[in-house]
Amino acid sequence: MTDLVPASGTVHWIGTGLSTGSGLAKLCESAPRVRVWHRTEERAAQALDRLGLTGRAEPRAYTLDKLTAALQPGDVVVSMLPAPEHAGILAVCVASRAHFACSSYVSDAVLEQVPAAAAAGLVVLTEAGLDPGIDHLFAHSLVARARDAIGDGTAASYRLTSYCGGIPAVPNDFRYRFSWAPLGVLNALRSPARYLADGAETTAARPWEATRRHVVDGETFEVYPNRDSVPFVEQYGMPPAWKPQTFVRGTLRLEGWLEAWGEVFEELKAGDDARIAALAQELAATYPTTDTDRDRVVLVVTLDVAGPAGQAWSGSYLLDLTGDEEESAMARCVSRTLALGVRRVLDGALPPGLNRAAETAARSEEWLRELALEGVDFTLRVDA
């Protein structure tokens, strides 16, 4: 394995949108130097003031060229920009021998650059936020506990569901407020979802059409599948002797969301890219997240395993957080998880190449312990 490029101690945090919160403050405590990049230096300074970090991080005006000129070997670049921007930033990191981190799923464009990054001794940290991120930590922990109880070689069937949603703490008529880019929310609904149901692979061309009721701790929500759940069967280390009856990762919404969004769904069926982009702007203006709004994040991951002769194991993790005046629940969950991963990069604890928040059960337990200490509260329930 190529030797790891030692971290320089400088962190470049690019973007200060809705998911940037107290995790950035945590990094300012542990990293010798933090630079925060925004569209203008003034906007970066305003973000630092909002977060109470004036004087603790350097505001910078972002362009890719300016970032390139500032990078030194061993720096850590944290991208909070939209996922399509990650590949270009990673390319600059590889050329400059700098590490890269983000909270997003691994795109093909990023994956193509991982071999070059690994060969250069660089860490590429991805899927280190809320969803993806904490959901992975929960799943790895549950799978490990079930394997200990049931046994890898035991013939068994299982159901794993993982649902996450950012929702209004006080429900509105629309049953939603945008906690991330509206166009991203709409485009996710336009993407087919692949998952396992009744023991067979299933695809929902329009994910919202697979919406169903889901009760969490006595409260009824609506959930639907998203993206491609199937690769996570292997990523989560499900034993081959266990046969999936259900395996789905999806989105959680308030009860009544499906009905409230009826007109939006009609637009999604008929609209072209230009119309959907315009619709995103209209919805963002009509249903913004304001300073007085409080968001709520609900993440529930459940695993039920049935073995022979009545042998069974069931476990679930529930995270249910509400934002406060200091930061949103979404920002807390995403930024603190990402900051935890970046601190691992600074400590030299992650190997060169591709890393996700959860690669092993042991790492998951370690990260969950630290997140709990940092105010990301959750509960574990086990019935064995």
Side-chain angles (χ1 to χ4, degrees):
M1 180 181 293
T2 306
D3 290 341
L4 179 71
V5 173
S8 67
T10 297
V11 175
H12 303 264
W13 186 285
I14 308 173
T16 59
L18 293 174
S19 293
T20 293
S22 56
L24 179 56
K26 290 290 183 182
L27 277 182
C28 289
E29 295 173 2
S30 56
R33 186 177 195 179
V34 176
R35 292 170 173 165
V36 173
W37 300 75
H38 209 308
R39 285 191 293 268
T40 66
E41 185 173 328
E42 181 182 11
R43 292 289 297 276
Q46 290 172 352
L48 290 174
D49 181 64
R50 171 175 57 85
L51 294 166
L53 297 176
T54 299
R56 297 173 61 187
E58 304 169 20
R60 294 292 182 96
Y62 174 77
T63 67
L64 193 58
D65 287 342
K66 289 180 179 179
L67 174 68
T68 302
L71 287 181
Q72 297 294 320
D75 285 2
V76 183
V77 175
V78 181
S79 177
M80 301 298 285
L81 299 182
E85 304 288 333
H86 294 337
I89 295 173
L90 177 56
V92 166
C93 288
V94 173
S96 303
R97 300 185 69 231
H99 305 287
F100 173 85
C102 71
S103 61
S104 303
Y105 285 98
V106 184
S107 67
D108 290 341
V110 166
L111 200 57
E112 289 173 359
Q113 299 184 63
V114 168
L122 303 174
V123 174
V124 179
L125 175 64
T126 64
E127 300 183 18
L130 169 63
D131 173 9
I134 298 176
D135 58 342
H136 293 345
L137 300 175
F138 286 172
H140 274 275
S141 175
L142 291 174
V143 171
R145 292 167 187 272
R147 289 172 66 178
D148 287 343
I150 300 295
D152 286 6
T154 303
S157 64
Y158 68 89
R159 300 177 183 274
L160 186 146
T161 60
S162 177
Y163 294 114
C164 182
I167 56 180
V170 178
N172 57 357
D173 290 342
F174 194 51
R175 316 305 285 174
Y176 189 73
R177 285 195 186 278
F178 291 96
S179 57
W180 61 294
L183 184 57
V185 174
L186 298 184
N187 281 333
L189 285 166
R190 299 170 77 193
S191 301
R194 189 168 71 121
Y195 57 103
L196 302 176
D198 298 323
E201 188 175 304
T202 303
T203 299
R206 295 168 176 162
W208 70 86
E209 294 181 348
T211 299
R212 64 179 185 83
R213 295 173 69 252
H214 192 65
V215 178
V216 179
D217 206 25
E219 183 176 358
T220 300
F221 296 93
E222 295 177 352
V223 296
Y224 61 90
N226 64 16
R227 297 181 176 266
D228 187 356
S229 298
V230 176
F232 292 92
V233 172
E234 180 178 356
Q235 184 172 319
Y236 289 168
M238 307 306 304
W242 297 6
K243 303 305 177 187
Q245 292 302 305
T246 301
F247 190 99
V248 57
R249 303 176 71 256
T251 299
L252 177 145
R253 294 287 181 253
L254 287 170
E255 187 178 24
W257 169 83
L258 188 67
E259 180 179 358
W261 276 52
E263 293 182 5
V264 175
F265 298 142
E266 292 303 313
E267 293 261 27
L268 293 178
K269 291 178 186 178
D272 59 15
D273 289 347
R275 173 53 193 149
I276 299 306
L279 177 62
Q281 293 182 341
E282 294 168 13
L283 292 174
T286 307
Y287 303 103
T289 298
T290 70
D291 291 340
T292 59
D293 286 319
R294 296 292 173 260
D295 72 326
R296 179 185 176 194
V297 167
V298 178
L299 167 60
V300 57
V301 182
T302 301
L303 175 61
D304 299 308
V305 185
Q311 187 181 17
W313 186 93
S314 179
S316 67
Y317 274 101
L318 172 60
L319 180 154
D320 189 345
L321 294 180
T322 299
D324 54 31
E325 293 182 358
E326 294 184 1
E327 67 178 332
S328 69
M330 184 67 68
R332 179 181 302 171
C333 292
V334 174
S335 68
R336 291 201 180 189
T337 309
L338 184 53
L340 177 57
V342 173
R343 296 203 301 270
R344 292 292 189 275
V345 179
L346 292 171
D347 293 342
L350 298 181
L354 182 64
N355 289 262
R356 297 178 175 89
E359 297 285 353
T360 65
R363 183 193 291 182
S364 296
E365 297 294 347
E366 178 184 320
W367 283 40
L368 288 174
R369 282 194 298 270
E370 292 200 32
L371 287 172
L373 291 173
E374 294 185 0
V376 179
D377 298 322
F378 51 84
T379 56
L380 167 64
R381 297 177 181 176
V382 173
D383 181 12

